[in-house]
Coordinates of all heavy atoms in Angstrom, one line a residue:
M1 N 0.8 -1.2 0.0 CA 0.0 0.0 0.0 C 0.9 1.2 0.0 O 1.9 1.3 0.7 CB -0.9 0.0 1.2 CG -2.0 -1.0 1.2 SD -3.0 -0.9 2.6 CE -2.5 -2.3 3.5
S2 N 0.5 2.2 -0.7 CA 1.2 3.5 -0.8 C 0.3 4.6 -1.2 O -0.9 4.5 -1.2 CB 2.4 3.3 -1.8 OG 1.9 3.1 -3.0
S3 N 0.9 5.7 -1.5 CA 0.2 6.9 -2.0 C -0.7 7.5 -1.0 O -1.9 7.6 -1.1 CB -0.7 6.5 -3.3 OG 0.1 6.0 -4.3
R4 N -0.1 7.9 0.1 CA -0.9 8.5 1.2 C -1.3 9.9 0.7 O -0.5 10.7 0.3 CB 0.0 8.6 2.5 CG -0.8 9.1 3.7 CD 0.0 8.8 4.9 NE -0.6 9.4 6.1 CZ -1.7 8.9 6.7 NH1 -2.4 7.9 6.1 NH2 -2.2 9.5 7.7
T5 N -2.6 10.2 0.9 CA -3.2 11.5 0.4 C -4.1 12.0 1.5 O -4.6 11.2 2.3 CB -3.9 11.4 -0.9 OG1 -5.0 10.5 -0.7 CG2 -3.1 10.9 -2.0
P6 N -4.4 13.3 1.6 CA -5.4 13.8 2.6 C -6.8 13.2 2.4 O -7.5 13.0 3.4 CB -5.4 15.3 2.3 CG -4.3 15.6 1.4 CD -3.9 14.3 0.7
S7 N -7.2 12.9 1.2 CA -8.5 12.4 1.0 C -8.5 11.7 -0.4 O -7.8 12.1 -1.3 CB -9.6 13.4 1.1 OG -9.4 14.4 0.0
P8 N -9.4 10.7 -0.6 CA -9.5 10.0 -1.9 C -10.1 11.0 -2.9 O -10.7 12.0 -2.6 CB -10.4 8.9 -1.6 CG -11.1 9.1 -0.3 CD -10.3 10.1 0.4
P9 N -9.8 10.7 -4.2 CA -10.3 11.5 -5.3 C -11.9 11.5 -5.3 O -12.5 10.5 -4.8 CB -9.8 10.9 -6.5 CG -9.4 9.5 -6.2 CD -9.1 9.5 -4.7
L10 N -12.5 12.6 -5.8 CA -13.9 12.6 -5.8 C -14.4 11.7 -6.9 O -14.0 11.7 -8.1 CB -14.4 14.0 -6.1 CG -14.1 15.0 -5.0 CD1 -14.5 16.4 -5.4 CD2 -14.8 14.7 -3.7
A11 N -15.3 10.8 -6.6 CA -16.0 9.9 -7.6 C -17.1 9.2 -6.8 O -17.2 9.3 -5.6 CB -14.9 8.9 -8.1
R12 N -17.8 8.4 -7.5 CA -18.9 7.6 -6.9 C -18.2 6.6 -6.0 O -17.3 5.9 -6.4 CB -19.7 6.9 -7.9 CG -20.9 6.2 -7.3 CD -21.7 5.6 -8.5 NE -22.9 4.9 -8.2 CZ -23.1 3.9 -7.3 NH1 -22.2 3.6 -6.4 NH2 -24.3 3.3 -7.1
S13 N -18.6 6.6 -4.7 CA -17.9 5.7 -3.7 C -18.8 4.6 -3.3 O -20.0 4.7 -3.3 CB -17.3 6.5 -2.6 OG -18.4 7.0 -1.8
E14 N -18.2 3.5 -2.8 CA -18.9 2.4 -2.3 C -18.2 1.9 -1.0 O -17.1 1.4 -1.1 CB -19.0 1.3 -3.3 CG -19.5 0.0 -2.9 CD -19.4 -1.1 -3.9 OE1 -19.1 -0.8 -5.1 OE2 -19.5 -2.3 -3.5
R15 N -18.8 2.1 0.1 CA -18.2 1.6 1.4 C -18.4 0.1 1.5 O -19.5 -0.4 1.2 CB -18.8 2.4 2.6 CG -18.2 1.9 3.9 CD -18.6 2.8 5.0 NE -18.0 4.2 4.9 CZ -16.8 4.5 5.3 NH1 -16.0 3.6 5.8 NH2 -16.4 5.8 5.2
L16 N -17.4 -0.6 2.0 CA -17.5 -2.0 2.2 C -18.1 -2.3 3.6 O -17.3 -2.3 4.6 CB -16.2 -2.6 2.0 CG -16.1 -4.2 2.0 CD1 -17.0 -4.7 0.9 CD2 -14.7 -4.6 1.7
G17 N -19.4 -2.5 3.6 CA -20.0 -2.7 4.9 C -19.8 -1.6 5.9 O -19.9 -0.4 5.5
R18 N -19.4 -1.9 7.1 CA -19.1 -0.8 8.1 C -17.6 -0.7 8.3 O -17.2 -0.1 9.3 CB -19.8 -1.2 9.4 CG -21.3 -1.2 9.3 CD -21.9 -1.6 10.6 NE -23.4 -1.6 10.5 CZ -24.2 -2.0 11.4 NH1 -23.7 -2.5 12.6 NH2 -25.5 -2.0 11.3
S19 N -16.9 -1.1 7.3 CA -15.4 -1.1 7.4 C -14.9 0.3 7.0 O -15.6 1.1 6.4 CB -14.8 -2.2 6.6 OG -14.9 -1.8 5.2
P20 N -13.6 0.6 7.3 CA -13.0 1.8 6.8 C -12.5 1.7 5.4 O -11.5 2.4 5.0 CB -11.9 2.0 7.8 CG -11.5 0.7 8.2 CD -12.7 -0.1 8.2
V21 N -13.1 0.8 4.6 CA -12.6 0.6 3.2 C -13.7 1.1 2.3 O -14.8 0.8 2.4 CB -12.3 -0.9 3.0 CG1 -11.9 -1.2 1.6 CG2 -11.4 -1.5 4.0
V22 N -13.2 1.9 1.3 CA -14.1 2.5 0.3 C -13.5 2.2 -1.1 O -12.3 2.3 -1.3 CB -14.2 4.0 0.5 CG1 -15.1 4.6 -0.5 CG2 -14.8 4.3 1.9
R23 N -14.4 1.8 -2.1 CA -14.0 1.7 -3.4 C -14.5 2.9 -4.2 O -15.6 3.3 -4.2 CB -14.7 0.5 -4.1 CG -14.2 0.2 -5.5 CD -14.5 -1.1 -6.1 NE -15.8 -1.6 -5.7 CZ -16.1 -2.9 -5.8 NH1 -15.3 -3.7 -6.4 NH2 -17.3 -3.3 -5.4
L24 N -13.5 3.6 -4.8 CA -13.7 4.8 -5.6 C -13.2 4.6 -7.0 O -12.0 4.4 -7.1 CB -13.1 6.0 -5.0 CG -13.6 6.5 -3.6 CD1 -12.6 7.4 -3.0 CD2 -14.9 7.1 -3.7
G25 N -14.0 4.7 -8.0 CA -13.5 4.6 -9.3 C -12.7 3.3 -9.6 O -11.8 3.3 -10.3
G26 N -13.1 2.2 -9.0 CA -12.4 0.9 -9.2 C -11.2 0.7 -8.3 O -10.5 -0.3 -8.4
Q27 N -10.9 1.7 -7.5 CA -9.7 1.6 -6.6 C -10.2 1.5 -5.1 O -11.1 2.2 -4.8 CB -8.8 2.8 -6.7 CG -8.1 2.8 -8.1 CD -7.2 4.0 -8.2 OE1 -7.6 5.1 -7.9 NE2 -6.0 3.8 -8.7
W28 N -9.5 0.7 -4.3 CA -9.8 0.6 -2.9 C -9.0 1.5 -2.1 O -7.8 1.7 -2.3 CB -9.6 -0.8 -2.4 CG -10.6 -1.8 -3.0 CD1 -10.4 -2.7 -4.0 CD2 -11.9 -2.0 -2.5 NE1 -11.5 -3.4 -4.2 CE2 -12.5 -3.0 -3.3 CE3 -12.7 -1.4 -1.5 CZ2 -13.8 -3.4 -3.1 CZ3 -14.0 -1.8 -1.4 CH2 -14.5 -2.8 -2.1
W29 N -9.6 2.2 -1.2 CA -9.0 3.2 -0.3 C -9.3 2.8 1.2 O -10.4 2.4 1.5 CB -9.5 4.6 -0.5 CG -9.1 5.2 -1.8 CD1 -9.7 4.9 -3.0 CD2 -8.0 6.1 -2.0 NE1 -9.1 5.6 -4.0 CE2 -8.0 6.3 -3.4 CE3 -7.1 6.6 -1.2 CZ2 -7.1 7.2 -4.0 CZ3 -6.2 7.5 -1.8 CH2 -6.2 7.8 -3.2
L30 N -8.3 2.9 2.0 CA -8.5 2.7 3.5 C -8.6 4.1 4.0 O -7.7 5.0 3.8 CB -7.3 2.0 4.1 CG -6.9 0.7 3.5 CD1 -5.7 0.1 4.1 CD2 -8.1 -0.3 3.6
V31 N -9.7 4.4 4.7 CA -10.0 5.8 5.1 C -10.1 5.9 6.6 O -10.7 5.1 7.3 CB -11.4 6.2 4.5 CG1 -11.7 7.6 4.9 CG2 -11.4 6.0 3.0
T32 N -9.4 6.9 7.1 CA -9.4 7.2 8.6 C -9.6 8.6 8.7 O -9.7 9.4 7.8 CB -8.0 6.8 9.2 OG1 -7.0 7.7 8.7 CG2 -7.6 5.4 8.9
G33 N -9.8 9.1 10.0 CA -10.0 10.5 10.3 C -8.8 11.3 9.9 O -8.9 12.5 9.7
S34 N -7.6 10.7 9.8 CA -6.4 11.5 9.6 C -6.0 11.5 8.1 O -5.0 12.1 7.7 CB -5.3 11.0 10.5 OG -5.0 9.7 10.2
G35 N -6.7 10.7 7.3 CA -6.3 10.7 5.9 C -6.7 9.3 5.2 O -7.4 8.5 5.8
S36 N -6.3 9.2 4.0 CA -6.7 8.0 3.2 C -5.4 7.3 2.6 O -4.4 8.0 2.4 CB -7.6 8.3 2.1 OG -8.8 9.0 2.6
L37 N -5.5 6.0 2.4 CA -4.4 5.3 1.9 C -4.9 4.4 0.8 O -5.8 3.6 0.9 CB -3.8 4.4 3.0 CG -2.5 3.7 2.7 CD1 -1.3 4.7 2.5 CD2 -2.2 2.8 3.9
L38 N -4.3 4.6 -0.4 CA -4.7 3.8 -1.6 C -4.1 2.4 -1.4 O -3.0 2.1 -1.1 CB -4.1 4.4 -2.9 CG -4.4 3.6 -4.2 CD1 -5.9 3.5 -4.4 CD2 -3.6 4.3 -5.3
A39 N -5.0 1.4 -1.5 CA -4.6 0.0 -1.4 C -4.1 -0.5 -2.8 O -4.9 -0.4 -3.8 CB -5.8 -0.9 -1.0
T40 N -2.9 -0.9 -2.9 CA -2.3 -1.3 -4.2 C -1.9 -2.8 -4.3 O -1.6 -3.2 -5.4 CB -1.1 -0.4 -4.6 OG1 -0.1 -0.6 -3.5 CG2 -1.5 1.1 -4.7
D41 N -1.9 -3.5 -3.2 CA -1.6 -4.9 -3.2 C -2.6 -5.7 -3.9 O -3.8 -5.7 -3.5 CB -1.4 -5.4 -1.8 CG -1.0 -6.9 -1.8 OD1 0.2 -7.2 -2.0 OD2 -1.9 -7.7 -1.6
P42 N -2.3 -6.4 -5.0 CA -3.3 -7.1 -5.8 C -4.0 -8.2 -5.1 O -5.2 -8.5 -5.3 CB -2.6 -7.6 -7.0 CG -1.1 -7.5 -6.8 CD -1.0 -6.5 -5.7
T43 N -3.3 -8.9 -4.2 CA -3.9 -10.0 -3.4 C -5.0 -9.4 -2.4 O -6.1 -9.9 -2.3 CB -2.8 -10.7 -2.6 OG1 -1.9 -11.3 -3.5 CG2 -3.5 -11.9 -1.8
F44 N -4.6 -8.3 -1.8 CA -5.5 -7.6 -0.8 C -6.7 -7.1 -1.5 O -7.9 -7.3 -1.1 CB -4.7 -6.5 -0.1 CG -5.6 -5.8 1.0 CD1 -6.2 -6.5 2.0 CD2 -5.7 -4.4 0.9 CE1 -7.0 -5.8 2.9 CE2 -6.5 -3.7 1.8 CZ -7.1 -4.4 2.8
T45 N -6.5 -6.4 -2.6 CA -7.6 -5.8 -3.4 C -8.5 -6.8 -4.0 O -9.7 -6.6 -4.1 CB -7.1 -4.7 -4.4 OG1 -6.3 -5.4 -5.3 CG2 -6.5 -3.5 -3.8
G46 N -7.9 -8.0 -4.4 CA -8.7 -9.1 -4.9 C -9.6 -9.6 -3.8 O -10.8 -9.9 -4.1
E47 N -9.1 -9.7 -2.6 CA -10.0 -10.2 -1.5 C -11.1 -9.2 -1.2 O -12.2 -9.6 -0.9 CB -9.1 -10.4 -0.2 CG -8.3 -11.7 -0.3 CD -9.1 -13.0 -0.5 OE1 -10.1 -13.1 0.2 OE2 -8.7 -13.8 -1.3
L48 N -10.8 -7.9 -1.3 CA -11.8 -6.9 -1.1 C -12.9 -7.0 -2.2 O -14.1 -6.9 -1.9 CB -11.2 -5.5 -1.1 CG -10.3 -5.1 0.1 CD1 -9.6 -3.8 -0.1 CD2 -11.1 -5.1 1.4
D49 N -12.5 -7.2 -3.4 CA -13.4 -7.4 -4.5 C -14.3 -8.6 -4.3 O -15.5 -8.5 -4.4 CB -12.7 -7.6 -5.9 CG -12.1 -6.3 -6.4 OD1 -12.5 -5.2 -6.1 OD2 -11.1 -6.5 -7.2
R50 N -13.7 -9.7 -3.8 CA -14.5 -10.9 -3.5 C -15.5 -10.7 -2.4 O -16.7 -11.1 -2.4 CB -13.6 -12.1 -3.3 CG -13.0 -12.7 -4.6 CD -12.2 -14.0 -4.3 NE -10.9 -13.7 -3.8 CZ -9.9 -13.2 -4.5 NH1 -10.1 -13.0 -5.8 NH2 -8.7 -13.0 -4.0
F51 N -15.0 -10.0 -1.4 CA -15.9 -9.7 -0.2 C -17.0 -8.8 -0.6 O -18.2 -9.0 -0.2 CB -15.1 -9.1 0.9 CG -15.8 -9.0 2.2 CD1 -16.3 -10.1 2.9 CD2 -16.1 -7.8 2.8 CE1 -17.0 -10.0 4.1 CE2 -16.8 -7.7 4.0 CZ -17.2 -8.8 4.6
A52 N -16.7 -7.8 -1.4 CA -17.8 -6.9 -1.9 C -18.8 -7.6 -2.7 O -20.0 -7.4 -2.6 CB -17.1 -5.8 -2.7
D53 N -18.4 -8.6 -3.6 CA -19.3 -9.4 -4.4 C -20.2 -10.2 -3.5 O -21.4 -10.3 -3.7 CB -18.6 -10.3 -5.4 CG -17.9 -9.5 -6.5 OD1 -18.3 -8.3 -6.7 OD2 -17.0 -10.1 -7.1
A54 N -19.6 -10.8 -2.4 CA -20.4 -11.6 -1.5 C -21.4 -10.8 -0.7 O -22.5 -11.2 -0.5 CB -19.4 -12.4 -0.5
M55 N -21.0 -9.6 -0.3 CA -21.9 -8.7 0.4 C -23.1 -8.3 -0.5 O -24.2 -8.2 -0.1 CB -21.2 -7.5 0.9 CG -20.3 -7.9 2.1 SD -19.9 -6.6 3.2 CE -21.4 -5.8 3.6
T56 N -22.8 -8.0 -1.8 CA -23.8 -7.7 -2.7 C -24.8 -8.8 -2.9 O -26.0 -8.6 -2.9 CB -23.2 -7.3 -4.1 OG1 -22.4 -6.1 -3.9 CG2 -24.3 -7.0 -5.1
A57 N -24.3 -10.0 -3.1 CA -25.2 -11.2 -3.2 C -26.0 -11.4 -1.9 O -27.2 -11.7 -2.0 CB -24.3 -12.5 -3.5
A58 N -25.5 -11.2 -0.8 CA -26.2 -11.3 0.5 C -27.3 -10.3 0.6 O -28.4 -10.6 1.0 CB -25.3 -11.3 1.7
D59 N -27.0 -9.0 0.2 CA -28.0 -8.0 0.2 C -29.1 -8.3 -0.7 O -30.3 -8.0 -0.4 CB -27.3 -6.6 -0.2 CG -26.4 -6.1 0.9 OD1 -26.5 -6.5 2.1 OD2 -25.6 -5.1 0.6
Q60 N -28.8 -8.8 -1.9 CA -29.9 -9.2 -2.8 C -30.7 -10.3 -2.3 O -32.0 -10.3 -2.5 CB -29.3 -9.5 -4.2 CG -28.7 -8.4 -4.9 CD -27.9 -8.7 -6.1 OE1 -27.6 -9.9 -6.4 NE2 -27.5 -7.8 -6.9
A61 N -30.1 -11.3 -1.6 CA -30.9 -12.4 -1.1 C -31.8 -11.9 0.0 O -33.0 -12.3 0.1 CB -29.9 -13.4 -0.5
V62 N -31.3 -11.0 0.9 CA -32.2 -10.4 1.9 C -33.3 -9.6 1.4 O -34.5 -9.7 1.8 CB -31.3 -9.6 2.9 CG1 -32.2 -8.8 3.9 CG2 -30.4 -10.5 3.7
A63 N -33.0 -8.8 0.3 CA -34.1 -8.0 -0.3 C -35.1 -9.0 -0.9 O -36.3 -8.7 -0.8 CB -33.5 -7.2 -1.4
G64 N -34.7 -10.1 -1.5 CA -35.7 -11.1 -2.0 C -36.5 -11.7 -0.9 O -37.8 -11.8 -1.1
L65 N -35.9 -12.0 0.2 CA -36.7 -12.5 1.3 C -37.7 -11.5 1.8 O -38.9 -11.8 2.2 CB -35.8 -13.0 2.4 CG -35.0 -14.2 2.1 CD1 -33.9 -14.5 3.2 CD2 -35.8 -15.5 1.9
R66 N -37.3 -10.3 1.9 CA -38.2 -9.2 2.4 C -39.4 -9.0 1.5 O -40.5 -8.8 1.9 CB -37.4 -7.9 2.6 CG -36.6 -8.0 3.8 CD -35.9 -6.6 4.1 NE -35.1 -6.7 5.3 CZ -34.1 -6.0 5.6 NH1 -33.6 -5.1 4.7 NH2 -33.4 -6.1 6.7
S67 N -39.1 -9.1 0.2 CA -40.2 -8.9 -0.8 C -41.2 -10.0 -0.7 O -42.4 -9.8 -0.9 CB -39.7 -8.7 -2.2 OG -39.1 -9.9 -2.7
Q68 N -40.7 -11.2 -0.4 CA -41.6 -12.4 -0.2 C -42.4 -12.2 1.0 O -43.6 -12.5 1.0 CB -40.8 -13.7 -0.1 CG -40.2 -14.2 -1.4 CD -39.4 -15.5 -1.2 OE1 -39.3 -16.0 -0.1 NE2 -38.9 -16.0 -2.3
Q69 N -41.9 -11.6 2.1 CA -42.6 -11.4 3.3 C -43.7 -10.3 3.1 O -44.8 -10.4 3.7 CB -41.7 -10.9 4.4 CG -40.8 -12.0 5.0 CD -39.9 -11.5 6.0 OE1 -39.6 -10.3 6.1 NE2 -39.3 -12.4 6.8
D70 N -43.4 -9.4 2.2 CA -44.4 -8.3 1.9 C -45.5 -8.8 1.0 O -46.6 -8.2 0.9 CB -43.7 -7.1 1.2 CG -42.8 -6.4 2.2 OD1 -42.9 -6.6 3.4 OD2 -41.9 -5.7 1.7
D71 N -45.3 -9.9 0.3 CA -46.3 -10.5 -0.6 C -46.9 -11.7 0.0 O -46.4 -12.8 -0.1 CB -45.6 -10.8 -2.0 CG -46.6 -11.4 -3.0 OD1 -47.8 -11.4 -2.7 OD2 -46.2 -11.8 -4.1
P72 N -48.1 -11.6 0.6 CA -48.8 -12.8 1.3 C -49.1 -13.9 0.3 O -49.3 -15.0 0.8 CB -50.0 -12.2 1.9 CG -50.2 -10.9 1.3 CD -48.9 -10.4 0.6
S73 N -49.2 -13.7 -1.0 CA -49.5 -14.7 -1.9 C -48.3 -15.5 -2.4 O -48.5 -16.5 -3.1 CB -50.3 -14.2 -3.1 OG -49.4 -13.3 -3.9
A74 N -47.1 -15.0 -2.1 CA -45.9 -15.7 -2.5 C -45.7 -17.0 -1.8 O -45.9 -17.1 -0.6 CB -44.7 -14.8 -2.2
P75 N -45.4 -18.1 -2.5 CA -45.2 -19.4 -1.9 C -44.0 -19.3 -1.0 O -43.0 -18.7 -1.3 CB -45.0 -20.4 -3.1 CG -44.6 -19.5 -4.2 CD -45.2 -18.1 -4.0
R76 N -44.1 -20.0 0.2 CA -42.9 -20.0 1.1 C -42.6 -21.5 1.4 O -43.4 -22.3 1.6 CB -43.4 -19.3 2.4 CG -43.7 -17.9 2.2 CD -43.7 -17.1 3.4 NE -44.0 -15.7 3.1 CZ -44.8 -15.0 3.8 NH1 -45.3 -15.4 4.9 NH2 -45.0 -13.7 3.4
P77 N -41.3 -21.7 1.4 CA -40.8 -23.1 1.7 C -41.4 -23.6 3.1 O -41.4 -22.9 4.0 CB -39.3 -23.0 1.8 CG -39.0 -21.7 1.1 CD -40.2 -20.8 1.3
G78 N -41.9 -24.8 3.1 CA -42.4 -25.4 4.3 C -43.8 -25.1 4.6 O -44.4 -25.5 5.6
R79 N -44.5 -24.3 3.8 CA -45.9 -23.9 4.1 C -46.8 -24.5 3.0 O -46.4 -24.5 1.8 CB -46.0 -22.3 4.0 CG -45.6 -21.7 5.2 CD -46.1 -20.3 5.1 NE -46.2 -19.7 6.5 CZ -46.7 -18.6 6.7 NH1 -47.0 -17.8 5.8 NH2 -46.7 -18.1 8.0
R80 N -47.9 -24.9 3.4 CA -48.9 -25.3 2.5 C -49.9 -24.2 2.2 O -50.3 -23.4 3.0 CB -49.7 -26.5 3.1 CG -48.8 -27.7 3.2 CD -49.7 -28.8 3.7 NE -48.8 -29.7 4.5 CZ -49.2 -30.8 5.1 NH1 -50.4 -31.1 5.1 NH2 -48.4 -31.5 5.8
R81 N -50.3 -24.2 0.9 CA -51.3 -23.1 0.5 C -52.7 -23.6 0.5 O -53.0 -24.7 0.3 CB -50.9 -22.6 -0.8 CG -49.6 -21.9 -0.8 CD -49.1 -21.4 -2.1 NE -49.8 -20.1 -2.3 CZ -49.9 -19.6 -3.5 NH1 -49.4 -20.1 -4.6 NH2 -50.4 -18.4 -3.7

């Protein structure tokens, strides 16, 4: 990791859960109150990409379950209609 800067460049950002990690324009940044650090290690950033994909899939699954709960006519596993 290198390229310490006061703040990441302006772009559409995506925070990784509640972590201090943010993806801006395809680059991962570690963000603290005292500044930001660009993550450049390909192994580390690859893991961040995989984790972000897993979180997106989990969020979509939860949204699907919630929409089923909101629709009383939707079939539910283990229930007879």
Side-chain angles (χ1 to χ4, degrees):
M1 288 184 253
S2 63
S3 302
R4 188 164 173 72
T5 62
S7 63
L10 295 176
R12 187 178 181 311
S13 67
E14 173 187 344
R15 181 169 292 278
L16 187 57
R18 295 181 180 170
S19 74
V21 180
V22 178
R23 183 170 31 197
L24 295 166
Q27 294 181 311
W28 288 104
W29 292 82
L30 305 176
V31 181
T32 68
S34 60
S36 302
L37 185 68
L38 177 62
T40 58
D41 179 82
T43 302
F44 181 59
T45 57
E47 287 299 315
L48 292 173
D49 287 335
R50 282 185 281 285
F51 189 64
D53 290 344
M55 289 201 51
T56 298
D59 288 344
Q60 291 171 346
V62 169
L65 291 171
R66 286 184 177 154
S67 69
Q68 286 179 0
Q69 287 177 341
D70 293 342
D71 182 4
S73 66
R76 298 198 180 141
R79 281 194 155 181
R80 293 185 208 177
R81 293 176 86 198

